[in-house]
C-alpha cells in the first residue's frame, strides 16, 4: 500500500488513507506517518550468515564425486578417511577450513551438495532363469539376521543386457558378506555354470576371511551340480553351508540386492555389454572399485525395524567401512589384521577412483566397437518388459 500511496495524486492518497484506517483501525495521522516512510531496500539473503563457503564445497565435492556420490550420513565419516589423501594431492588445507569440515553435520553436507547432486532413472529387466535340477538338495533360508561373524555370503547376478535379454552379453556376479558388508564383484560371460564357479573361486581366494556360508537365489547359475560340488568338496577347508532364498522373495537376500545397485549399476549403468573382450578390463575395474568400497566407503547396517501404525521405523548402526568392521571383530587372526591395516595404509582412494575410470573407458570403448544387434524373433527372443527386475534377484523371469 505504501508503493501505491507514492504513485497517486492528492485525491487518490486521501481515498487510500480512508481504506487503511478502515481496514487496520489506525488513526488518520498514524496512517499518514506509515505511508510516508521510505520503501525498504531489498536485503538479499535472509537469515544468518553462511558458515560453509566455496573452500569447503570444493573439498567436499571432490571427495563426494570420487566416492560416487554417497549420501550425507555416509559422507560424514568418509571425510576423516579421505581428507589426508585429498591434501596429499591438492596441498594442505587451511586450518579454518579443516576445523569446519571436522564438525560439519550430515544434513549440512546434503544441503551443501544439493545444487550439484545428480539424478538417475532406473530401468530394470529380469534375468533369472529358475534352476530346478538340485532344488531339493539345497535348504531354504528366509533371513540372515542371526549371523554374528564374517564368512556367510549372499550371492546374486546382474544382467548387462541394455533392456534386451536375447543374445549373449556380460553378467556380473555379486557376493556380499552379511556381517561386515564386504562385497566383491566379478564379470562373466553368459553366466554359464563353469564361468560362475570360476568367479566364485576367484572371489573366495581374495577374501580376508574364510568362506563358511553361501546363500543365493533360485537362478540356474547357482542351483547346479558344479557349484554344489565345489562348495561341498573342500578338502581341509571348513565345509560351506549352501542355502537358497524363497522363490520371488528378493528381501530374503536384501543385502546383496542392495549392492547390485551400489556396486554394479552405479558403476556401469544399464548399457548393453555384448563384447566378450570387455570381461578383462571390467574385472580390473571391479577389483579397484570393490577395494575402494571395502576400505574407504562406510556402510550402515539395519539394527531394528518395527511398524508403527501405517509406517515402518528403521534404526541403523554407526556408519563404518567393511574393513573397519572386520578389524573390530574379535575373531580376526593376527595375520589377517596386519594385512588389512597394511593394505589400508598403502592405498589411496583417489588413485583407485582414477584407476576405475581408466578401466571403464576401455570397457565402454570395447562395448561400443564390438556391439552387435541381436536377431529379434518371437517367443523366447522377445525383449523383457521394462517394468520387470534387472538385478537377477527373485523376480519373475522374463518371457
Amino acid at each position: 500500500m505504501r508503493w501505491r500511496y507514492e504513485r497517486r495524486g492528492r485525491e487518490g492518497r486521501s481515498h487510500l488513507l480512508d481504506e487503511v484506517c478502515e481496514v487496520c483501525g489506525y488513526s488518520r495521522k498514524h496512517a499518514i506517518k506509515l505511508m510516508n516512510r521510505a520503501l525498504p531496500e531489498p536485503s538479499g539473503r535472509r537469515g544468518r550468515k553462511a558458515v560453509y563457503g566455496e573452500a569447503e564445497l570444493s573439498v567436499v565435492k571432490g571427495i563426494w564425486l570420487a566416492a560416487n556420490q554417497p549420501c550425507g550420513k555416509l559422507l560424514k565419516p568418509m571425510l576423516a578417511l579421505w581428507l589426508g589423501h585429498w591434501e596429499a594431492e591438492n596441498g594442505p588445507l587451511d586450518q579454518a577450513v579443516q576445523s569446519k569440515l571436522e564438525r560439519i553435520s550430515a544434513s549440512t553436507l546434503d544441503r551443501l551438495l544439493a545444487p550439484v547432486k545428480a539424478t538417475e532413472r532406473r530401468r530394470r529387466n529380469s534375468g533369472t532363469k529358475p534352476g530346478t535340477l538340485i532344488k531339493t538338495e539345497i535348504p531354504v533360508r528366509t533371513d540372515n539376521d542371526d549371523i554374528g561373524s564374517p564368512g556367510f555370503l549372499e550371492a546374486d547376478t546382474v544382467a548387462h543386457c541394455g533392456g534386451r535379454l536375447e543374445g549373449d552379453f556380460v553378467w556380473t556376479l555379486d557376493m556380499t558378506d552379511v556381517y561386515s558388508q564386504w562385497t566383491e564383484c566379478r564379470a562373466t560371460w553368459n553366466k554359464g555354470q563353469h564361468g560362475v564357479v570360476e568367479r566364485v573361486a576367484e572371489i573366495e581366494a581374495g577374501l580376508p576371511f574364510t568362506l563358511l556360508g553361501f546363500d543365493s537365489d533360485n537362478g540356474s547359475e547357482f542351483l547346479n551340480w558344479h557349484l554344489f560340488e565345489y562348495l561341498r568338496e573342500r578338502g581341509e577347508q571348513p565345509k560351506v553351508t549352501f542355502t537358497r532364498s524363497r522363490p520371488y522373495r528378493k528381501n530374503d537376500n536384501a543385502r546383496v540386492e542392495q549392492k547390485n545397485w551400489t556396486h554394479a549399476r552405479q558403476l556401469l549403468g544399464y548399457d548393453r555389454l555384448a563384447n566378450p573382450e570387455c570381461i578383462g578390463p571390467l574385472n580390473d575395474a571391479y577389483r579397484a572399485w570393490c577395494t575402494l568400497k571395502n576400505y574407504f566407503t562406510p556402510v550402515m547396517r539395519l539394527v531394528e525395524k518395527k511398524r508403527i501404525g501405517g509406517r515402518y521405523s528403521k534404526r541403523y548402526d554407526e556408519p563404518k567401512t567393511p574393513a573397519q568392521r572386520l578389524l573390530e571383530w574379535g575373531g580376526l587372526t593376527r595375520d589377517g589384521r596386519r594385512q588389512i591395516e597394511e593394505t589400508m595404509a598403502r592405498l589411496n582412494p583417489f588413485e583407485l577412483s582414477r584407476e576405475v575410470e581408466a578401466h571403464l573407458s576401455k570397457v565402454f570403448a570395447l562395448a561400443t566397437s564390438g556391439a552387435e544387434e541381436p536377431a529379434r524373433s518371437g517367443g523366447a527372443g522377445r525383449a523383457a518388459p521394462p517394468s520387470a527386475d534387472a538385478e537377477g534377484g527373485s523376480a519373475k523371469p522374463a518371457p
Side-chain angles (χ1 to χ4, degrees), residues 43-50:
S43 57
R45 185 182 181 274
R46 300 182 65 182
R48 65 179 183 179
K49 229 173 158 182

Side-chain angles (χ1 to χ4, degrees), residues 229-264:
E229 293 295 334
Y230 169 78
L231 296 175
R232 187 172 63 177
E233 297 177 0
R234 309 297 292 171
E236 298 180 356
Q237 300 182 22
K239 184 180 178 180
V240 176
T241 303
F242 191 2
T243 57
R244 61 184 175 87
S245 63
R246 294 171 292 179
Y248 313 119
R249 299 293 185 93
K250 298 184 67 172
N251 281 342
D252 289 354
N253 285 339
R255 296 164 185 84
V256 73
E257 293 288 349
Q258 180 191 42
K259 305 304 179 186
N260 286 342
W261 166 248
T262 60
H263 284 63

Side-chain angles (χ1 to χ4, degrees), residues 108-127:
T108 303
L109 285 169
D110 284 328
R111 286 193 297 269
L112 197 63
L113 291 168
V116 292
K117 282 196 171 181
T119 58
E120 198 167 334
R121 183 182 175 186
R122 299 182 65 178
R123 301 188 316 272
R124 306 194 295 176
N125 291 316
S126 175

Side-chain angles (χ1 to χ4, degrees), residues 6 34 65 68 94 129 149 186 287 319 365:
E6 285 188 352
L34 291 178
L65 289 174
N68 202 44
D94 184 73
K129 181 180 179 182
S149 62
R186 293 296 184 271
R287 292 184 187 96

Side-chain angles (χ1 to χ4, degrees), residues 200-218:
V200 170
E202 179 185 346
I203 290 175
E204 182 186 4
L207 294 175
F209 46 81
T210 304
L211 178 62
L212 302 175
F214 187 91
D215 189 29
S216 70
D217 60 18
N218 294 270

Side-chain angles (χ1 to χ4, degrees), residues 28-63:
R28 196 169 187 85
K29 206 68 175 174
H30 181 59
I32 291 173
K33 288 180 180 179
L34 291 178
M35 292 299 105
N36 284 330
R37 287 183 183 176
L39 289 172
E41 295 293 332
S43 57
R45 185 182 181 274
R46 300 182 65 182
R48 65 179 183 179
K49 229 173 158 182
V51 177
Y52 303 96
E54 289 297 326
E56 292 80 16
L57 177 60
S58 63
V59 178
V60 171
K61 182 180 176 182
I63 295 176

Side-chain angles (χ1 to χ4, degrees), residues 205-209 295 327 332-346:
L207 294 175
F209 46 81
Y295 284 94
L327 292 175
L332 195 63
T333 64
R334 183 177 301 177
D335 292 339
R337 180 178 299 273
R338 185 176 63 251
Q339 179 183 358
I340 292 177
E341 291 175 346
E342 291 177 353
T343 303
M344 187 179 295
R346 172 174 50 85

Side-chain angles (χ1 to χ4, degrees), residues 129-146:
K129 181 180 179 182
T132 57
L133 295 176
I134 58 172
K135 203 170 184 179
T136 57
E137 301 287 336
I138 302 173
V140 172
R141 187 180 180 94
T142 59
D143 65 75
N144 294 314
D145 295 335
D146 57 337

